[in-house]
Amino acid sequence: MNLLLRFVLFCLLLPCLGATAGAQGVSFPDLGTALPSHQDVTYLDLARMVIPDLKAGTDGFYGGTLPIVMRHIEGPDSGGSPPPTSSFPNAAVLDIKTGGKDRLTMLFDLGDSPDSAEGFAVLALYDLSGKPKLLDAVNVAVDRSSYFREPNRLSLGAGDDAVVTMSTHFNSNQGYVGTALIMVRDDRFQLIDMIYTFDENVCAYRRTQNLAFQTSGDNQPYAAIKVTVTDATVPGEEDCGEARSEASSHDISVTYRWDKVVSRYVKGSDAFERLSAENAKRF
């Protein structure tokens, strides 16, 4: 997908998926801007820890070649290769807490993978408490374009946050979204779950699947996380030459709880996997 199309898609997603969510702290600083806590360090310096030869171009974009080697957040069987060259105007920046410490995350959408239908998007974790250093970097792309998704971060306790990202693409009447729920442990990203949803807008109806997140502090050391998909159908207003669809809406919820034995979050059901399988029949 070329840069113009990515920019248009980004603008379309701002109101419907909350990519701006200023109250939650996501920002898009120019990479040449100095860090508030380190006036002698720029966001470009941080980005070069991921793409070593990244530099400013004459068109307002920053370009470079291959990023450092990194794993995919879903594991070794997921993801494709990074593009040989990348160009982007900025990166999404989000402050989080992990283990009671302040950390900075940056999300770089590098574009299309040369050997996968997915894109390649880097989620990077930085420690800015002293000399800035890169702690971890993972590819979070499961579709063509990737962003932070509202609410962008979730509080798992007094000193820990989870991060929410999304990858998506659209065709003429269908939208595909993969939402990653990610925590940080020992300064490394760890996937809690990947949730796939599907929107459809045809003459007879519009069907959407929207996500909501809720945490509760009844599970230590990390809060339980309840994720709800609201699957709603709204009938179309035109005569489509077929039976009119009925309005409907129902919720599908899964709760994730921390399991001390396996040291990870465990889901309470496979409801989202069943939803994804049902959605696949409509592709």
Side-chain angles (χ1 to χ4, degrees):
M1 185 184 294
N2 65 37
L3 292 173
L4 177 59
L5 288 178
R6 283 181 177 273
F7 178 75
V8 171
L9 178 58
F10 171 77
C11 292
L12 290 173
L13 286 169
L14 289 182
C16 64
L17 293 175
T20 53
Q24 294 295 332
V26 174
S27 62
F28 301 88
D30 183 278
L31 294 182
T33 304
L35 304 180
S37 60
H38 294 75
Q39 288 299 306
D40 59 339
V41 179
T42 66
Y43 290 100
L44 179 58
D45 293 324
L46 299 184
R48 283 176 174 156
M49 297 180 190
V50 174
I51 306 173
D53 63 352
L54 191 68
K55 60 183 179 181
T58 59
D59 57 356
F61 283 72
Y62 293 82
T65 57
L66 291 172
I68 60 174
V69 176
M70 67 191 70
R71 69 194 185 280
H72 193 279
I73 191 65
E74 284 193 304
D77 295 330
S78 297
S81 302
T85 61
S86 300
S87 180
F88 45 87
N90 53 33
V93 175
L94 178 66
D95 292 311
I96 66 168
K97 288 186 176 294
T98 172
K101 301 174 182 178
D102 293 326
R103 295 290 185 253
L104 182 81
T105 63
M106 293 181 71
L107 182 58
F108 308 90
D109 190 330
L110 303 189
D112 297 331
S113 169
D115 54 12
S116 171
E118 302 165 359
F120 197 98
V122 180
L123 181 63
L125 180 70
Y126 299 92
D127 178 4
L128 304 182
S129 59
K131 180 180 179 180
K133 60 182 177 181
L134 177 68
L135 300 173
D136 196 18
V138 291
N139 176 14
V140 295
V142 293
D143 212 320
R144 295 176 190 166
S145 300
S146 298
Y147 314 90
F148 284 116
R149 176 172 188 161
E150 188 181 353
N152 306 311
R153 66 179 176 229
L154 295 170
S155 176
L156 303 179
D160 289 281
D161 294 321
V163 176
V164 186
T165 67
M166 55 167 282
S167 297
T168 185
H169 86 274
F170 297 88
N171 58 31
S172 60
N173 58 9
Q174 295 176 327
Y176 307 79
V177 181
T179 299
L181 187 56
I182 302 167
M183 71 179 301
V184 178
R185 293 193 72 232
D186 300 322
D187 283 328
R188 283 177 63 85
F189 292 116
Q190 179 176 314
L191 182 67
I192 297 174
D193 200 11
M194 188 73 69
I195 304 162
Y196 292 93
T197 51
F198 178 59
D199 294 344
E200 194 172 17
N201 189 4
V202 296
C203 179
Y205 62 88
R206 181 172 184 263
R207 184 172 177 182
T208 58
Q209 296 176 342
N210 294 319
L211 271 67
F213 301 85
Q214 182 180 2
T215 60
S216 60
D218 59 352
N219 200 35
Q220 298 296 327
Y222 301 109
I225 307 169
K226 181 180 180 180
V227 183
T228 299
V229 174
T230 298
D231 191 344
T233 299
V234 177
E237 297 180 355
E238 299 179 13
D239 183 359
C240 302
E242 57 185 275
R244 182 178 175 83
S245 298
E246 296 293 331
S248 65
S249 179
H250 68 281
D251 291 342
I252 305 162
S253 297
V254 173
T255 298
Y256 303 82
R257 290 185 169 84
W258 183 254
D259 188 319
K260 295 180 181 179
V261 175
V262 296
S263 295
R264 62 181 177 86
Y265 272 94
V266 175
K267 66 185 70 177
S269 78
D270 64 351
F272 290 156
E273 284 79 1
R274 287 186 275 113
L275 175 64
S276 180
E278 293 168 4
N279 287 339
K281 298 175 183 177
R282 299 191 286 125
F283 292 172

